[in-house]
Amino acid sequence: MSFKPSLSPEVTQEILAIGLFGIVILLLFAMFGFGGPLPSLLFSYLRMAFGMAAYLLPVILALLALMMFLPDRYQVKANNYFGFAAVILALSGLFQL
């Protein structure tokens, strides 16, 4: 007999939002040098991948998590994820000019 918890989609979405806020806090600590070696290494890799747009990544992830916490106001769909990814890529290209 296996135990499989049945969570509603709203609860699953809120758990993902809490995880995103955790990543945001970790990235903010890494930006200011407080996170230790692992977050600092993660942020340096993000800096190599996205350039100066890596500094905006915590803000964009926080906005996405906020949208996931407010499902009555914002409906988070796959288009939102692609849109945020496109914003990060566009800003990284723009900041390189």
Side-chain angles (χ1 to χ4, degrees):
M1 189 186 287
S2 68
F3 175 72
K4 185 177 179 186
S6 59
L7 297 174
S8 68
E10 293 86 15
V11 172
T12 306
Q13 191 172 4
E14 287 184 3
I15 290 173
L16 288 174
I18 290 171
L20 269 178
F21 270 128
I23 291 171
V24 166
I25 290 171
L26 191 70
L27 286 176
L28 285 174
F29 280 160
M31 275 179 19
F32 297 111
F34 295 126
L38 183 65
S40 296
L41 184 68
L42 172 70
F43 189 71
S44 68
Y45 284 143
L46 286 173
R47 223 14 249 286
M48 283 190 287
F50 297 115
M52 296 302 281
Y55 288 102
L56 293 176
L57 191 61
V59 174
I60 292 176
L61 289 178
L63 287 174
L64 182 61
L66 184 67
M67 285 174 61
M68 291 173 81
F69 267 127
L70 301 171
D72 297 335
R73 263 181 113 172
Y74 307 105
Q75 293 181 357
V76 180
K77 298 179 183 176
N79 293 340
N80 297 109
Y81 297 116
F82 291 126
F84 281 125
V87 166
I88 287 290
L89 291 176
L91 287 176
S92 67
L94 185 65
F95 288 155
Q96 294 299 321
L97 294 178

